[in-house]
Amino acid sequence: MRKTLLQSLIRGPLTEPAPGDDGRALAEIAESMKRSARQRLGRSLAIREIDAGSCNGCELEIHALGNAFYDLERFGLRFVASPRHADVLLVTGPVTHNMREALERTYRAAPNPKWVVAVGDCGCTGGAFKGSYACVGPVSSVLPVDVTVPGCPPTPLQILSTLLALIEGASAVRAVAK
Amino acid sequence: MPLLDDLIGTCEMAAPARPWPRLAVDRSQWQRSAGDLAAGRATLVALWGEPQLVHMAISDSAHRMAVLSLTCHDGRFPSVGRLYPAAIRPERAIQDLVGLVAEGCPDPRPWLDHGRWSVGHPLSGRSEPAQRLEPYTFLPVEGANLHQIPVGPVHAGIIEPGHFRFTACGETVARLEERLGYVHKGIERLMMGRSPWDAARFAGRASGDSTVAYAWAFARAVEAAMGYQVKDHTSALRAVMAELERLANHLGDIGAICNDASFALMQAHTAVLRERVLRASQEAFGHRLMMDLIVPGGLARGMASSGPSAVRAALDCIESSFPALVELYDNTTSLQDRTAETGFVSIELARLFAPGGVVGRASGRHVDARRQPGYPPYDTLDFDVPVRVDGDVNSRVWIRILEVTQSIRLIRQLLDRLPGRSGDTEIAPLAPSGPGEGAAMVEGFRGDVFVWLRLDGDGRVARCHLRDPSWFQWPVLEAAIEGNIVADFPLCNKSFNCSYSGHDL
Ligand code: SF4
């Protein structure tokens, strides 16, 4: 084990520079801030992921955010186990009828102010499963969604730049308010 | 005489079907076959329904496969689960989806239907109002000093939803009962009436981590129904994708299992290797998970000219760092202390539920769809199928480690034989044709994915059944955790890594 640890120390880091601003996500966030007048959002965000019927493809890419290339935690973003600790809910899937109640309850368990990010084509529009007897549809048909990340699945970079826009957007608005 | 020889000799063909026959059986033959499953003379491959029909795909001791079909005139059929417990959940699903009653099924509770869909019996061919269901009752557990721990459907990690009801005596799990169906999306109904090419998108989204395996199995089933065989070059590219998918998932799982034993270092390293495989896949095929690339009749896109070198570079990288990680796994006693003898699945239990994939092979089952029933190009490739008999978490980690090495070996063989012009790809040259029935089995990273379908007169999907390997692995997990401590459940669960979405559909 010592050898492995030591080698990691001498080898350069794999972590890549932060992605640039996601203009689309920033615009969505600004719009949603106007609507709700929420401003309190620190530089550090606790994220709770909720699979509301995904095929699990989106989860794989959300998982990848933690690897050394994207290293989500360097931005002060971290996944938490309980919605009660969360600032942001990251929701995937076409919201199945069987998951709807669990999703709503998880949302209610998260303290205010909170943000909802719909991830993946399914979460954004219902995706391929739109119109099924078993699905409600996009996350926005159940919860107030602040920002969306389309893609099937979106790449880790796309998800990351949206989360960064959330921090940026929030602090930009706060700066204006001061 | 192997069981199917007997049946094939006495039964009528229900319909021309490829590559395995579909036989019309009567009630007594159906029941006798259930007895053969219980006696271990045959293995249940899948069990599903249509309006007025139930189908059971089985394979016998000689690895011959067939689909047995029973007409249910009065909407009922004799339960297979009564004799053979692995059939109970599929029968509960048939009752929910098609509305046929499994007579004598020991567990008549609904399974996928939670009473929340907008219709009832969605695959019954009739329009029925949504079912009104009683609140779900969990099985009773009696005894002194027992307490229950309900977990889910929303779990603590970034994983799929499902409910686990633990009954524990102190730290020790006395019983685990699973409740699934939360991510049921109605995929089989969405596929109906679509062209095979539209329907392929749903097959590829049954379980995102196995999108290649599903798309391949679906494409092979359509090709079987149409009597079409793809070129060797196409099979080779499909196999490159399938082995990349296996590599990526096994690497991710090895790290995640160690992480659930609080050994985060391993995950940090395997997650990097996994990312390298995904990036190579992106470079070679234009999508990190290689979704929607395998289509009936060929491929949606060939391999980029830079693909082979990108894939080889990822393999080199794994080969140079993986051995040290394996050594680390093997020599860290605190980690071995968690994985060895935890979540034990006996050979007898594995024989009874016949799980495929890593779970089966870690408990003495010599199964791999690439070998039996087998499909091109694997018949021409050199690879080993590792099997162990110790059946614990450690054993399941080792099967994955050994399979990583085999997948690398396979991809290298495939790349070496691909002709230089890798852009030369069959792109869905099939035209929709008449009716037909086909089935296929493809080995995904989790186990064998089985697909059966019927095309109607216009060549559209009349009915398609997708059977995830998890169907026969989930019930085994309930048994594997018994007698373990509650805190070891995430570890056991991860060592199985069953699919929720693939199971719930
Ligand atoms: S957006 Fe795509 S990857 Fe994500 S859950 Fe939906 S189908 Fe799966």
Side-chain angles (χ1 to χ4, degrees):
Chain A
M1 170 145 70
R2 244 176 278 140
K3 214 170 71 198
T4 315
L5 284 172
L6 206 66
Q7 270 171 359
S8 312
L9 275 180
I10 35 188
R11 211 182 35 210
L14 295 166
T15 311
E16 295 169 341
D21 273 355
D22 184 330
R24 189 195 53 81
L26 269 176
E28 278 186 20
I29 291 161
E31 189 49 42
S32 137
M33 291 198 134
K34 255 191 260 153
R35 273 201 312 270
S36 59
R38 275 168 306 175
Q39 292 164 19
R40 277 194 43 239
L41 200 69
R43 290 244 19 137
S44 167
L45 294 183
I47 307 166
R48 171 65 248 198
E49 198 269 347
I50 309 163
D51 173 341
S54 129
C55 78
N56 79 28
C58 282
E59 275 61 35
L60 294 176
E61 294 298 54
I62 292 172
H63 242 291
L65 290 172
N67 75 34
F69 292 92
Y70 307 107
D71 189 18
L72 176 88
E73 301 215 355
R74 73 185 140 144
F75 302 108
L77 298 164
R78 64 186 201 288
F79 287 102
V80 291
S82 167
R84 300 195 195 281
H85 305 158
D87 306 301
V88 176
L89 301 178
L90 212 55
V91 189
T92 64
V95 191
T96 59
H97 282 295
N98 289 353
M99 265 309 284
R100 179 185 189 143
E101 184 185 341
L103 173 62
E104 288 170 338
R105 284 212 216 172
T106 310
Y107 176 79
R108 285 200 298 272
N112 279 318
K114 55 195 162 197
W115 298 77
V116 178
V117 182
V119 176
D121 286 350
C122 290
C124 295
T125 65
F129 308 103
K130 218 180 322 184
S132 165
Y133 65 86
C135 299
V136 185
V139 178
S140 61
S141 56
V142 178
L143 302 179
V145 169
D146 297 293
V147 53
T148 57
V149 194
C152 185
T155 63
L157 269 187
Q158 287 166 325
I159 304 169
L160 185 57
S161 63
T162 304
L163 290 173
L164 292 179
L166 206 51
I167 300 181
E168 289 306 315
S171 42
V173 170
R174 196 170 42 228
V176 173
K178 265 185 194 161
Chain B
M1 178 157 66
L3 171 80
L4 283 176
D5 286 339
D6 195 20
L7 275 173
I8 290 168
T10 50
C11 299
E12 299 270 322
M13 290 287 164
R18 276 179 291 242
W20 304 300
R22 185 158 78 78
L23 309 168
V25 296
D26 59 28
R27 283 175 71 97
S28 71
Q29 285 166 323
W30 177 269
Q31 270 163 312
R32 209 163 342 117
S33 303
D36 288 324
L37 292 173
R41 285 191 289 272
T43 308
L44 183 63
V45 174
L47 183 61
W48 71 102
E50 286 189 84
Q52 306 297 317
L53 266 179
V54 272
H55 306 289
M56 159 161 65
I58 59 175
S59 80
D60 69 6
S61 53
H63 297 291
R64 293 189 56 177
M65 296 237 299
V67 177
L68 312 183
S69 301
L70 175 70
T71 307
C72 322
H73 293 294
D74 51 355
R76 315 169 76 81
F77 66 97
S79 165
V80 179
R82 193 171 59 86
L83 300 169
Y84 183 65
I88 294 176
R89 285 182 184 176
E91 286 180 348
R92 292 168 69 186
I94 291 173
Q95 305 197 113
D96 290 349
L97 295 170
V98 193
L100 298 172
V101 177
E103 283 169 334
C105 180
D107 188 347
R109 291 174 298 169
W111 182 238
L112 299 177
D113 189 350
H114 293 190
R116 293 161 190 262
W117 298 339
S118 58
V119 298
H121 303 137
L123 299 180
S124 66
R126 304 176 296 262
S127 68
E128 290 184 26
Q131 297 248 89
R132 283 181 179 279
L133 299 176
E134 301 281 309
Y136 195 79
T137 45
F138 285 88
L139 299 174
V141 188
E142 282 164 19
N145 301 323
L146 294 177
H147 64 283
Q148 288 207 333
I149 312 173
V151 178
V154 178
H155 297 289
I158 306 171
I159 57 170
E160 300 178 76
H163 182 87
F164 299 116
R165 184 64 60 99
F166 295 96
T167 306
C169 179
E171 276 288 290
T172 310
V173 178
R175 167 180 276 165
L176 160 66
E177 190 183 346
E178 297 155 356
R179 189 183 185 206
L180 303 174
Y182 290 92
V183 285
H184 177 80
K185 293 179 269 294
I187 290 184
E188 291 186 341
R189 185 122 136 223
L190 285 166
M191 293 173 97
M192 287 161 69
R194 293 186 196 253
S195 79
W197 293 274
D198 285 349
R201 291 177 54 80
F202 292 95
R205 283 163 180 74
S207 185
D209 51 14
S210 306
T211 180
V212 173
Y214 267 95
W216 195 359
F218 179 79
R220 281 186 54 78
V222 173
E223 288 151 11
M226 291 182 163
Y228 180 80
Q229 215 171 358
V230 297
K231 295 193 197 113
D232 289 348
H233 182 71
T234 304
S235 302
L237 282 177
R238 288 175 171 185
V240 171
M241 293 186 206
E243 296 308 319
L244 285 171
E245 180 174 87
R246 193 180 327 277
L247 259 186
N249 283 303
H250 278 354
L251 288 167
D253 282 352
I254 293 166
I257 295 168
C258 295
N259 194 50
D260 277 341
S262 306
F263 194 71
L265 176 64
M266 184 69 85
Q267 190 175 33
H269 284 276
T270 58
V272 166
L273 298 182
R274 176 185 156 86
E275 179 70 19
R276 293 205 190 275
V277 175
L278 298 189
R279 289 181 176 200
S281 308
Q282 165 78 40
E283 172 83 39
F285 299 104
H287 191 284
R288 285 164 56 90
L289 305 181
M290 298 168 286
M291 235 173 206
D292 300 330
L293 292 174
I294 297 180
V295 294
L299 297 165
R301 190 185 312 163
M303 176 151 54
S305 54
S306 59
S309 61
V311 171
R312 283 199 180 94
L315 299 186
D316 291 344
C317 180
I318 298 169
E319 276 179 329
S320 72
S321 46
F322 195 57
L325 296 177
V326 175
E327 202 188 305
L328 178 64
Y329 174 76
D330 212 22
N331 292 335
T332 306
T333 37
S334 60
L335 182 55
Q336 291 282 319
D337 186 46
R338 296 288 305 279
T339 59
E341 291 171 32
T342 308
F344 174 65
V345 177
S346 70
I347 292 184
E348 294 73 47
L349 187 69
R351 198 177 298 139
L352 186 63
F353 278 82
V358 172
V359 176
R361 289 192 285 276
S363 292
R365 282 176 50 75
H366 291 263
V367 285
D368 189 322
R370 295 174 294 177
R371 281 275 162 74
Q372 292 292 348
Y375 48 96
Y378 292 102
D379 43 348
T380 60
L381 296 166
D382 202 12
F383 67 105
D384 299 324
V385 177
V387 174
R388 287 173 68 113
V389 292
D390 28 357
D392 53 3
V393 172
N394 177 50
S395 170
R396 292 188 280 277
V397 171
W398 268 106
I399 294 283
R400 289 181 171 96
I401 290 175
L402 298 170
E403 290 185 4
V404 163
T405 322
Q406 295 305 317
S407 288
I408 294 176
R409 209 174 137 198
L410 281 166
I411 298 172
R412 288 207 189 278
Q413 291 175 54
L414 288 160
L415 290 180
D416 287 345
R417 80 153 77 140
L418 282 179
R421 358 157 243 138
S422 48
D424 170 24
T425 307
E426 250 174 304
I427 301 180
L430 285 183
S433 62
E437 274 187 36
M441 203 158 158
V442 162
E443 188 75 15
F445 85 98
R446 181 177 280 123
D448 48 320
V449 171
F450 173 83
V451 173
W452 173 90
L453 55 81
R454 177 190 301 120
L455 303 178
D456 65 15
D458 302 326
R460 294 181 170 273
V461 176
R463 176 80 169 94
C464 174
H465 178 60
L466 310 169
R467 197 275 289 132
D468 195 88
S470 308
W471 276 97
F472 304 126
Q473 296 169 344
W474 276 120
V476 177
L477 176 63
E478 284 187 350
I481 187 64
E482 226 176 273
N484 287 256
I485 57 172
V486 178
D488 273 343
F489 178 70
L491 182 62
C492 293
N493 191 19
K494 201 73 220 175
S495 77
F496 273 64
N497 192 15
C498 300
S499 175
Y500 300 69
S501 182
H503 167 282
D504 293 354
L505 280 189

